[in-house]
Amino acid sequence: MSQSLAPTVPEIDDEASARQDEIARLKQEVFLLETLMDNSPDSIYFKDLNSRFTRINRYAAARFGVGEPALAVGRTDFDYFTDEHAAQAFRDEQEIICTGQPLVNVEEKETKPDGGVLWVSTTKMPLRDSAGNIVGTFGISRDITQRKQFEDQLEHQAFFDTLTQLPNRALFMNRLQHLFHRAQRAQGDLLFAVLYLDVDRFKGVNDGLGHQAGDDLLVEIARRLERCVRPSDTLARLGGDEFTILLEDIASEVDATRIADRIQKELSVPFSVHGQEVFSSASLGIALSSSHYQRPEDMLRDSDIAMYRAKASGRSRHQVFDVDMHQRAVSLLRLETDLRRAIERREFVPYYQPIIDLETRRLRGFEALARWLHPTRGLVMPDVFIPVAEETGLIGPLGDFMLVEACRQMRKWQRQYARDPALCISVNVSTRQLAQSDVAEQVRRVLLETGLDPACLTLEITESALMQNLKSGADVIQRLHDMAVRLHIDDFGTGYSSLSYLHNFPVHTLKVDKSFVSRMEDAPNQAEIVKAIVSLAQNLGMEVTAEGVETNAQADALQDLHCTNAQGFLFSRPLPAAEAERLIVDGLPPY
């Protein structure tokens, strides 16, 4: 009897159970995959060989604006994005299908037809069937819009000025460097220019109206400057009240100066700042690429040098850089360096110019004048180093040195050569020194150290310096007066030409500037000016000292006007201490 080969009932049940378990497992995997797709914060999509969507997740559907994912099946990127973006996506997918190579983490800017923009990081890979054949592509796109906005914000902060929203120094130099590379490729056929602009008297707005008003003015200036340049040019704020302009592809120097003139005209119209009418102007320096620069920094430097030249020439104007300016700037830098060392090495010496009583023609005292015995340049005159000392702040220690040395020398002469009245010494006080709150205490300390009678010390202050420090100067001068130190107003008539301050300060003497004295013989009106100053001083109970007297005729005319004292080359040039001492011993030479 043959044995049956049919499976037994338990075996059939086991196979059915296994199939059911497999189906359940597959359903669970599908459920998990669908859950993953529909809850993913990224866009997930599958496409066929023609880049038509075969499936997308719910996030992608929401991004496409189609509601249900099934509605996107059979459609392409051209249905949801601009043609440019859709065409690029199609090219990428066709390359993946041809090469089998994925694209990983590619940052894309997706622009919708309605203008909406989204930045995504996309990874696309080939989609294969069970036999390994490529049947399409699938991709994942992550929204990185917020990150890109943050990066753009950081980039903006790095390359743009927060106040005016103009490019800053970093971006300006980047564009200038790029232009240098272009010029090198053009082999000299490309001409461009850098304009360096500094707002004139901007500090007055800050001091008078406050820093907020100053900031508002800078913003308004930036907007006006934008109207003066072409879209291809770069306008930047370097900081403070300084701006730069990069003029690309100009035909000649005339184009650059024309822009400078346009800026001057634009800024000449008054501004309204916090209800206050404010007038402004600018000094501009221009550097042209035709000077064959090798580095962008040098071109910016030279435009800055030219700007300072324009400012020194009277402001509210422009100046084109030339080689002589750079040589002067280098010389000035060396002079500043030497000047700092000179103070440390005590290379300065006082020279003494006698002050004469015009009535008796006797010596009344001396004015101490600084001279610099430079180790290689020899004797350097004040008109060379005093402006540099003023600008760099070195005038303070230089002035302190001169005060100490002059007082010490005068006290030494007084001990050796007693006279009645005693000889006096005059020392110049700079604007910076007058602005120091402790200047009176410094003078007191020097007088105590040297033993000089305060009544034998005269401090000479220029009219313009006094007017620039009216408030602080009034307090300092009153304290000096209380100490019995005398005060002379130097260069009278050349400053603000205001007489009201003479009633407010304990001034002892007015010094007539040499520019008036030198023209007394040839210009009657100059003689009238001197006469008016002498008359004014007499009415106010002051003395008058005339500077720059060079001829006997001038001395006689001043004596006829009852001018009290005089000094100048007629009597003596400024002399070293040893030679000045001979005047005390032997008297003045005939003149």
Side-chain angles (χ1 to χ4, degrees):
M1 185 174 180
S2 62
Q3 188 176 6
S4 173
L5 299 177
T8 62
V9 172
E11 290 175 344
I12 295 174
D13 291 342
D14 289 342
E15 290 178 2
S17 177
R19 284 196 297 272
Q20 290 175 355
D21 289 344
E22 180 66 17
I23 292 171
R25 187 183 66 78
L26 291 173
K27 286 182 177 179
Q28 180 64 17
E29 287 186 1
V30 170
F31 171 76
L32 291 175
L33 289 173
E34 288 181 343
T35 300
L36 177 63
M37 282 191 61
D38 289 337
N39 290 279
S40 172
D42 301 327
S43 297
I44 301 175
Y45 42 89
F46 296 84
K47 296 182 179 181
D48 62 17
L49 294 172
N50 294 313
S51 292
R52 292 190 295 261
F53 290 108
T54 58
R55 185 168 184 179
I56 66 173
N57 68 346
R58 291 191 176 278
Y59 187 87
R63 204 173 106 217
F64 296 168
V66 297
E68 289 297 323
L71 297 176
V73 174
R75 295 184 178 274
T76 69
D77 285 314
F78 287 95
D79 294 304
Y80 306 116
F81 302 104
T82 59
D83 290 349
E84 181 181 1
H85 174 72
Q88 183 61 52
F90 180 80
R91 288 192 295 269
D92 290 343
E93 289 152 6
Q94 294 306 304
E95 182 178 353
I96 292 171
I97 292 170
C98 291
T99 65
Q101 298 297 316
L103 293 178
V104 181
N105 293 333
V106 177
E107 293 187 359
E108 300 177 310
K109 182 180 180 182
E110 295 183 347
T111 306
K112 297 180 179 180
D114 63 0
V117 174
L118 195 71
W119 279 93
V120 295
S121 176
T122 298
T123 294
K124 293 182 180 182
M125 304 186 71
L127 180 63
R128 300 177 186 271
D129 61 14
S130 58
N133 300 314
I134 297 177
V135 294
T137 59
F138 74 90
I140 301 176
S141 296
R142 171 160 295 177
D143 187 346
I144 59 170
T145 304
Q146 190 172 11
R147 192 197 84 194
K148 292 294 289 186
Q149 290 174 343
F150 181 67
E151 289 176 353
D152 290 344
Q153 182 180 0
L154 289 179
E155 182 179 5
H156 187 84
Q157 291 174 351
F159 292 108
F160 287 85
D161 173 53
T162 55
L163 177 64
T164 63
Q165 302 305 310
L166 294 176
N168 62 11
R169 177 185 290 268
L171 182 53
F172 181 86
M173 294 306 297
N174 180 278
R175 293 182 178 175
L176 183 56
Q177 179 71 62
H178 177 72
L179 200 54
F180 261 68
H181 292 325
R182 275 186 55 201
Q184 290 172 355
R185 292 194 298 270
Q187 297 182 344
D189 293 335
L190 180 64
L191 180 64
F192 54 95
V194 170
L195 274 64
Y196 202 115
L197 180 150
D198 181 86
V199 180
D200 296 327
R201 295 175 294 276
F202 177 73
K203 185 176 183 296
V205 177
N206 270 341
D207 294 344
L209 301 179
H211 287 278
Q212 184 59 54
D215 287 348
D216 292 345
L217 176 60
L218 289 175
V219 172
E220 290 300 316
I221 288 174
R223 301 291 81 82
R224 292 196 188 182
L225 292 176
E226 286 176 328
R227 298 199 291 264
C228 297
V229 298
R230 304 164 300 177
S232 60
D233 300 327
T234 299
L235 167 65
R237 181 189 177 212
L238 296 189
D241 59 345
E242 295 180 329
F243 298 81
T244 51
I245 301 170
L246 177 58
L247 302 178
E248 299 191 26
D249 299 323
I250 60 175
S252 67
E253 176 185 317
V254 174
D255 290 341
T257 57
R258 187 181 296 117
I259 293 292
D261 289 335
R262 187 184 306 167
I263 290 172
Q264 297 287 6
K265 183 178 180 180
E266 187 72 34
L267 297 183
S268 67
V269 179
F271 295 83
S272 178
V273 180
H274 292 194
Q276 176 77 37
E277 190 176 50
V278 175
F279 289 86
S280 183
S281 62
S283 300
L284 293 99
I286 303 172
L288 298 164
S289 62
S290 55
S291 296
H292 307 295
Y293 291 100
Q294 298 300 315
R295 302 190 309 163
E297 297 84 357
D298 294 342
M299 192 171 183
L300 183 64
R301 175 204 65 200
D302 288 351
S303 63
D304 187 18
I305 291 173
M307 180 275 292
Y308 274 104
R309 185 70 175 174
K311 192 174 286 288
S313 300
R315 303 183 179 183
S316 188
R317 62 189 63 199
H318 64 262
Q319 183 76 48
V320 179
F321 176 82
D322 59 49
V323 177
D324 289 341
M325 289 184 191
H326 181 240
Q327 292 174 345
R328 284 194 296 269
V330 171
S331 177
L332 187 63
L333 180 61
R334 290 173 181 165
L335 184 65
E336 179 184 342
T337 302
D338 290 348
L339 189 58
R340 293 183 185 277
R341 292 172 178 167
I343 293 175
E344 298 171 1
R345 297 171 180 173
R346 301 178 68 86
E347 294 173 358
F348 288 97
V349 294
Y351 271 45
Y352 300 92
Q353 185 172 38
I355 300 173
I356 309 302
D357 184 321
L358 279 175
E359 181 66 28
T360 63
R361 302 295 173 112
R362 293 187 62 196
L363 180 66
R364 292 198 61 175
F366 295 92
E367 179 180 359
L369 301 167
R371 295 294 185 267
W372 181 6
L373 295 180
H374 194 281
T376 59
R377 299 174 61 173
L379 187 65
V380 181
M381 302 303 287
D383 59 338
V384 175
F385 65 83
I386 290 295
V388 181
E390 287 275 10
E391 184 177 345
T392 58
L394 295 173
I395 194 67
L398 175 57
D400 295 342
F401 167 78
M402 286 294 297
L403 179 64
V404 172
E405 291 300 309
C407 290
R408 181 181 292 120
Q409 182 63 67
M410 179 49 67
R411 183 60 188 133
K412 178 182 176 182
W413 284 335
Q414 287 178 346
R415 290 194 184 102
Q416 290 179 306
Y417 312 106
R419 297 168 62 111
D420 186 22
L423 292 174
C424 296
I425 190 72
S426 295
V427 181
N428 291 284
V429 176
S430 70
T431 303
R432 285 181 178 269
Q433 288 176 289
L434 189 62
Q436 295 174 359
S437 59
D438 62 342
V439 63
E441 187 56 38
Q442 290 177 7
V443 172
R444 183 191 303 275
R445 185 167 58 251
V446 170
L447 290 171
L448 288 173
E449 291 175 357
T450 60
L452 183 67
D453 184 349
C456 294
L457 173 63
T458 295
L459 296 181
E460 299 196 2
I461 304 172
T462 63
E463 183 181 8
S464 56
L466 186 61
M467 295 301 292
Q468 289 178 39
N469 297 274
L470 275 177
K471 186 176 181 180
S472 60
D475 180 59
V476 169
I477 289 169
Q478 186 59 52
R479 281 186 283 163
L480 291 169
H481 176 71
D482 294 341
M483 293 162 50
V485 173
R486 297 172 64 85
L487 174 69
H488 289 191
I489 301 299
D490 200 6
D491 302 336
F492 184 77
T494 63
Y496 287 77
S497 300
S498 173
L499 303 179
S500 60
Y501 72 88
L502 292 178
H503 296 281
N504 301 321
F505 296 111
V507 177
H508 300 93
T509 301
L510 301 183
K511 297 194 74 173
V512 182
D513 187 70
K514 62 182 179 181
S515 62
F516 299 129
V517 175
S518 64
R519 296 194 294 268
M520 285 181 62
E521 299 171 75
D522 302 325
N525 60 325
Q526 299 297 318
E528 290 299 319
I529 293 175
V530 175
K531 181 179 180 180
I533 294 174
V534 173
S535 176
L536 172 67
Q538 290 173 342
N539 291 334
L540 294 175
M542 301 177 187
E543 293 186 356
V544 179
T545 297
E547 297 181 293
V549 179
E550 298 184 355
T551 66
N552 279 293
Q554 292 171 355
D556 293 340
L558 289 166
Q559 185 174 355
D560 291 342
L561 292 174
H562 303 291
C563 179
T564 320
N565 308 305
Q567 63 186 100
F569 289 175
L570 173 65
F571 313 108
S572 174
R573 294 177 178 271
L575 301 170
E579 295 182 34
E581 186 172 338
R582 297 307 309 167
L583 297 182
I584 302 175
V585 176
D586 300 336
L588 294 171
Y591 54 87

